[in-house]
């Protein structure tokens, strides 16, 4: 495009610019993920905690993602135990955790599977004894058991995920956020297939 001596059609130019724009977007995502993780690890910005209902927050995120899931032919369901699931937390940060988990489900859950019977993603919030649990599960190809311990590592990307967009930082960011709230996040293989992410947070008193 820069070399004026090379003739390019409008169509060519559009195509080239399109891939330049895509690359810039990828770079932008990678940079903001890196900065986010660096900021979290440096603890320069503290959590802005307030008493909030994790069930309401999760329901909101699910509603926000619903159109994108519908467009991919994936079913997205939300469930919660009756009543509020109070946590003392930074709502914006927890939203980021959910965005990462739902974003992953959206991108990775389907895999190469075109089986119309599959493609179910479930988000559930359970308020229990002193704990609040958030579960995000899908019935996609899942994660190889050898990879499972590494999914929360920085830059880890599964073989199957290589072609999908992403920096491999989403789950590292999610773990950092959850741990800073005094909680845990884990990934399990589901039977017969799929993956289950469980976020466990202390309930607000
Ligand atoms: N729902 C899922 N199903 C299958 N694999 C997943 C799922 N969520 C995450 N993964 C695996 O974990 C890796 C790390 O996820 P993440 O940190 O969000 O990075 P990214 O999404 O940028 O690849 C992914 O590359 C993928 O291999
Ligand atoms: Mg991701």
């Amino acid at each position: 495009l820069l070399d004026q001596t090379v003739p390019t059609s409008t169509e060519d130019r559009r195509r080239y610019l399109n891939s330049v724009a895509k690359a810039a977007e990828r770079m932008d995502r990678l940079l903001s993920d890196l900065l986010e993780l660096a900021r979290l690890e440096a603890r320069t910005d503290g959590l802005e905690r307030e008493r909030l209902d994790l069930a309401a927050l999760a329901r909101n995120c699910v509603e926000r993602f619903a159109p994108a899931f519908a467009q991919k032919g994936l079913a997205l369901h939300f469930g919660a135990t009756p009543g509020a699931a109070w946590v003392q937390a930074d709502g914006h940060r927890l939203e980021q955790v959910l965005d990462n988990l739902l974003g992953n489900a959206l991108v990775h859950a389907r895999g190469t599977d075109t089986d119309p019977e599959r493609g179910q993603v479930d988000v559930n919030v359970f308020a229990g004894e002193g704990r609040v649990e958030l579960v995000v599960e899908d019935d996609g190809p899942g994660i190889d058991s050898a990879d499972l311990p590494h999914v929360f590592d920085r830059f880890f990307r599964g073989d199957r995920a290589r072609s999908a967009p992403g920096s491999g930082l989403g789950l590292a960011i999610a773990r950092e956020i959850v741990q800073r709230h005094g909680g845990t996040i884990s990934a399990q293989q589901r039977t017969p297939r799929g993956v289950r992410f469980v976020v466990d947070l202390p309930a607000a008193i």
Side-chain angles (χ1 to χ4, degrees), residues 64-112:
R64 197 155 34 78
F65 271 88
F69 274 75
Q71 202 181 17
K72 284 191 115 184
L74 293 163
L76 178 61
H77 289 158
F78 174 79
T81 45
W86 295 113
V87 288
Q88 196 70 31
D90 186 325
H92 173 66
R93 295 293 191 200
L94 287 191
E95 230 172 70
Q96 248 180 307
V97 173
L98 266 149
D99 283 0
N100 286 341
L101 293 176
L102 287 173
N104 278 348
L106 186 63
V107 173
H108 304 295
R110 173 69 83 189
T112 52

Side-chain angles (χ1 to χ4, degrees), residues 47 61 63 65-66 97 111 114 117 152 158 164 178 192:
L47 297 177
C61 290
E63 277 168 12
F65 271 88
V97 173
T114 50
E117 295 295 302
F152 297 101
V178 170

Side-chain angles (χ1 to χ4, degrees), residues 138-143 188-196:
D138 63 60
D139 60 359
I143 300 172
Q188 301 151 16
Q189 201 79 259
R190 289 179 77 197
T191 29
R193 49 184 271 134
V195 57
R196 172 186 294 122

Side-chain angles (χ1 to χ4, degrees), residues 20-200:
V20 172
K22 280 229 171 73
E25 267 166 39
R26 259 202 309 278
M27 193 95 79
D28 184 52
R29 263 200 308 269
L30 175 61
L31 260 181
S32 48
D33 280 354
L34 272 173
L35 281 173
E36 185 62 30
L37 194 58
R39 243 183 256 123
L40 279 165
E41 286 178 348
R43 302 180 180 233
T44 49
D45 52 352
L47 297 177
E48 290 189 19
R49 292 197 190 224
E50 55 181 335
R51 188 178 157 85
L52 58 88
D53 177 6
L54 184 63
L57 185 137
R59 181 183 281 114
N60 261 319
C61 290
V62 165
E63 277 168 12
R64 197 155 34 78
F65 271 88
F69 274 75
Q71 202 181 17
K72 284 191 115 184
L74 293 163
L76 178 61
H77 289 158
F78 174 79
T81 45
W86 295 113
V87 288
Q88 196 70 31
D90 186 325
H92 173 66
R93 295 293 191 200
L94 287 191
E95 230 172 70
Q96 248 180 307
V97 173
L98 266 149
D99 283 0
N100 286 341
L101 293 176
L102 287 173
N104 278 348
L106 186 63
V107 173
H108 304 295
R110 173 69 83 189
T112 52
D113 204 334
T114 50
D115 184 346
E117 295 295 302
R118 297 219 165 98
Q120 165 93 26
V121 177
D122 282 285
V123 177
N124 280 288
V125 175
F126 305 99
E129 296 267 301
R131 316 293 304 172
V132 170
E133 202 175 75
L134 164 78
V135 180
V136 178
E137 49 196 346
D138 63 60
D139 60 359
I143 300 172
D144 296 341
S145 46
D147 288 347
L148 217 46
H150 304 294
V151 289
F152 297 101
D153 294 350
R154 278 184 252 181
F155 301 113
F156 176 85
R157 308 202 67 210
D159 282 337
R160 269 193 296 258
R162 291 279 151 76
S163 57
S167 58
L169 288 170
L171 288 176
I173 291 171
R175 183 176 60 179
E176 192 68 30
I177 292 171
V178 170
Q179 286 179 346
R180 288 193 56 193
H181 280 87
T184 59
I185 183 169
S186 61
Q188 301 151 16
Q189 201 79 259
R190 289 179 77 197
T191 29
R193 49 184 271 134
V195 57
R196 172 186 294 122
F197 287 93
V198 180
V199 174
D200 195 276

